[in-house]
Amino acid sequence: MKDQPHGEQDDFAVAHREWLSERVAHYIGHPVDDSVPLAEEGFDSVAALSLYGDIEEEFGELIEPDDVQAYPTVRRLAELLAMRGAGRDGHRVRTAFVFTGQGSQHPGMTTGLYRHSTGYRTFLDEADAAVRPWTGRSVVELILTGDQAVHRTALTQPALFAVGYALARTLEEAGVRPVAVLGHGIGEFAAAAVAGALTLPDAARLACARGALMQELPPGGGMMAVCVTPHEAAELVAEEPAAGIGAVNAAKSVVLSGDRAALARIEGRLAERSVRCRHLAVSHAFHSPLMAPVVAPFEAELRRIRAAAARVPFYSTVHGRLTTEPLYTSYWSEQITAPVRFADAARGMLAQQTPTHVVEIGPRAVLTPYLRRMGGGPRGPVCLPVCQGPESDAVDLAGVISALDAGPLAAALPGGTR
């Protein structure tokens, strides 16, 4: 890892070298020189596959089968294992928080956690108290009753904000300190609160105002996921002023947003190219030109809050990069109509912060598959959701915390994260 002390990583490499030398000697029947290519020692493809199985059983999914061939000596393979496993073996876990946006909500979300995790219950109650003056009802009650109203934008956005904030604070209380934060759409408000750019009351007020104002817009807008590149998407919406790019989630995963008739015309053109589209279950065309009427009244709310620079690296999905400036009024008003540049922001975060783990903070996994592909699968950081669904409970949460090398046991061990 980038911040791993060289001496410590060298120690890991020596330990891996000794272990690998023993396993290779077992398969070829004699000791091996760690600098000689294994193929010259009679190490064939069957032995290589067996060695990969030993590595996976001993250390987990640190490498892929092809790596055994690509790193042909014991010394080079040991160095690779040391680098990949430094975060785990050296207790140098670096965790990034990625906050899920609208669309991840569902009736009863996080109910199991609320009932069985004292920490999560405390923080969700805290967030509930912050949003209740603006929503006029309890999001805790909304969640626990499994109310379908959770899909109404005026309640969806405050509820997702509250859940994201509470989940992140629960992890922090267990000793997990994020090295960076990133939020998708409404997820940016929880990310900003956790990073210290917004206070909890201010972030709650903005999330509620944003949802309420969007709910008041007339119906007729929609969102459509398409498997095209951003350049291709730009060409598709160029002739449709009532539609735009709502989000870029991956190299060929774009969401178009706008008037439903405009989206239907685009869908027809894509059908001629045998490109399939999937319409999202949304009430409005978020992050599109149809959101423009919300901007002015939202800016009136923004003038009541005090913005600050984030104290934790904040990767903006408005700018698609790390942003260090205070999150002033202009940022949050632009966020309403701007595309969610998730792919750019996530790639920048992975490259610049080199996290060993990326945790999706939200009621269910939506972004984790994208993050795994961007991170390179087994070669990259461990990507895991903090919550799988309404049944996730304190035991599941403890498993996530343990994977992040945090919690009471880790705190008591030398080199723990706290």
Side-chain angles (χ1 to χ4, degrees):
M1 302 305 300
K2 188 168 64 176
D3 68 340
Q4 183 73 25
H6 289 297
E8 190 175 343
Q9 186 163 326
D10 289 344
D11 290 342
F12 296 149
V14 170
H16 286 307
R17 195 156 62 239
E18 292 174 351
W19 183 87
L20 284 169
S21 295
E22 185 277 325
R23 297 312 301 153
V24 170
H26 169 77
Y27 288 116
I28 63 177
H30 59 80
V32 61
D33 184 329
D34 62 28
S35 62
V36 174
L38 293 175
E40 295 181 14
E41 298 278 5
F43 197 72
D44 60 20
S45 59
V46 174
L49 188 60
S50 298
L51 179 63
Y52 171 75
D54 292 342
I55 292 170
E56 186 176 40
E57 181 177 353
E58 183 74 14
F59 303 109
E61 296 182 354
L62 290 184
I63 66 171
E64 296 178 346
D66 290 347
D67 288 329
V68 179
Q69 303 289 346
Y71 295 81
T73 69
V74 165
R75 181 177 292 274
R76 289 196 62 200
L77 191 55
E79 290 170 351
L80 176 68
L81 285 173
M83 180 183 69
R84 298 270 175 83
R88 300 174 187 179
D89 297 338
H91 298 288
R92 301 285 295 186
V93 170
R94 292 172 53 80
T95 305
F97 287 178
V98 176
F99 294 80
T100 314
Q102 194 156 349
S104 63
Q105 78 279 356
H106 52 89
M109 58 185 181
T110 72
T111 297
L113 277 177
Y114 187 84
R115 289 176 174 161
H116 302 294
S117 169
T118 302
Y120 178 70
R121 183 164 57 250
T122 298
F123 289 116
L124 189 61
D125 286 344
E126 180 186 5
D128 186 34
V131 303
R132 194 180 305 191
W134 315 109
T135 59
R137 65 174 296 183
S138 165
V139 296
V140 168
E141 179 186 355
L142 176 77
I143 289 168
L144 295 182
T145 58
D147 196 334
Q148 292 290 331
V150 74
H151 293 302
R152 292 184 62 248
T153 298
L155 294 174
T156 302
Q157 296 192 13
L160 285 175
F161 164 76
V163 165
Y165 174 86
L167 288 171
R169 290 300 190 209
T170 304
L171 292 179
E172 287 187 319
E173 185 184 48
V176 183
R177 300 288 182 264
V179 298
V181 297
L182 180 158
H184 195 293
I186 188 65
E188 283 207 303
F189 291 86
V194 169
L198 292 173
T199 66
L200 172 59
D202 282 347
R205 179 174 188 154
L206 293 182
C208 293
R210 188 179 187 270
L213 289 167
M214 289 181 178
Q215 183 71 54
E216 292 172 1
L217 290 173
M223 301 182 79
M224 184 172 70
V226 294
C227 187
V228 297
T229 66
H231 176 73
E232 290 170 325
E235 291 180 337
L236 288 168
V237 300
E239 299 177 7
E240 299 288 353
I245 297 175
V248 179
N249 292 325
K252 292 195 72 175
S253 180
V254 176
V255 176
L256 303 183
S257 184
D259 179 76
R260 290 187 184 277
L263 295 180
R265 287 190 291 272
I266 293 173
E267 184 177 17
R269 295 201 294 274
L270 288 172
E272 295 173 358
R273 294 158 45 185
S274 299
V275 177
R276 296 183 64 182
C277 305
R278 178 171 59 87
H279 290 268
L280 306 184
V282 296
S283 58
H284 294 83
F286 304 111
H287 300 282
S288 83
L290 299 187
M291 291 286 109
V294 169
V295 173
F298 189 61
E299 286 181 340
E301 291 291 334
L302 286 165
R303 285 193 286 271
R304 303 171 185 270
I305 64 106
R306 184 176 300 174
R311 295 193 294 269
V312 175
F314 183 94
Y315 280 78
S316 160
T317 48
V318 174
H319 300 151
R321 57 169 172 79
L322 174 69
T323 183
T324 56
E325 60 267 26
L327 301 180
Y328 290 129
T329 298
S330 58
Y331 181 85
W332 297 112
S333 59
E334 181 182 358
Q335 198 235 26
I336 288 176
T337 55
V340 178
R341 296 176 60 185
F342 174 76
D344 289 341
R347 290 193 193 100
M349 182 188 72
L350 293 172
Q352 295 163 9
Q353 301 300 327
T354 60
T356 61
H357 294 70
V358 181
V359 182
E360 182 172 355
I361 308 288
R364 63 184 175 92
V366 175
L367 303 173
T368 298
Y370 297 122
L371 292 163
R372 284 176 178 153
R373 288 197 291 272
M374 289 179 203
R379 297 173 179 272
V382 176
C383 301
L384 68 163
V386 71
C387 188
Q388 293 283 2
E391 294 79 18
S392 292
D393 57 19
V395 175
D396 299 317
L397 178 62
V400 173
I401 291 171
S402 176
L404 299 175
D405 206 11
L409 179 60
L413 295 174
T417 55
R418 287 206 287 188

